Amino acid sequence: MKDCIFCKIIAGEIPSAKVYEDDEILIFKDIAPIAKIHLLCVPKEHFAYLSEAGEGRAALLGRTLLKIGALKDELGLGDGYRLVVNQGENAGQTVRHLHIHILGGQPLPWGN
Ligand code: AMP
């Protein structure tokens, strides 16, 4: 999609630190990491929100989660990791192309 930064990364028009790629998804390092390991997993197909995904993308979303699980050791996440999907304004979503934050490489505080 025109003017989508993640579509441009997927197309190779903007450089990224890729760590995994297949036909359906790309995983690359977040440019402003908030954990020792902070990756972004993006479907190559452009859509912004889970609420837009529809039944047609159910299998893609399932495969994406399973792939992250399968790659955990390769990605250095063997001691545990957290997945975050910011959706909409209140969640602070800044890029309107669905992406899963993958956080790990350190203990991750939860709550107070
Ligand atoms: P969100 O706030 O959930 O929409 O997350 C967007 C994420 O994309 C942020 O964590 C940004 O640091 C990250 N980001 C923005 N531009 C780039 C880029 N060119 N390469 C890698 N990560 C990026």
Side-chain angles (χ1 to χ4, degrees), residues 2-3 12 20-21 23 26 31 33 41 47 49 51-52 66 69-70 72 75 78 86 91-92 102-104 106 108:
K2 233 176 123 230
D3 299 331
Y20 175 82
E21 182 169 17
D23 290 348
L26 177 68
I31 204 167
C41 177
F47 59 102
Y49 306 108
S51 55
E52 286 179 357
L66 291 175
K72 72 176 175 62
L75 298 177
N86 290 323
I102 305 172
L103 305 168
Q106 61 174 78
L108 299 163

Side-chain angles (χ1 to χ4, degrees), residues 36-107:
K36 197 166 168 195
I37 298 175
H38 186 173
L39 307 172
L40 298 172
C41 177
V42 298
K44 289 189 171 178
E45 188 188 356
H46 181 94
F47 59 102
Y49 306 108
L50 288 171
S51 55
E52 286 179 357
E55 282 297 320
R57 296 191 180 100
L60 165 68
L61 290 169
R63 283 194 297 273
T64 299
L65 288 176
L66 291 175
K67 180 56 77 175
I68 292 170
L71 289 170
K72 72 176 175 62
D73 291 325
E74 193 175 315
L75 298 177
L77 302 165
D79 291 332
Y81 58 98
R82 179 173 297 149
L83 305 182
V84 175
V85 182
N86 290 323
Q87 292 283 274
E89 204 172 320
N90 276 1
Q93 184 180 4
T94 57
V95 179
R96 266 49 177 177
H97 180 130
L98 191 93
H99 52 284
I100 302 169
H101 293 262
I102 305 172
L103 305 168
Q106 61 174 78

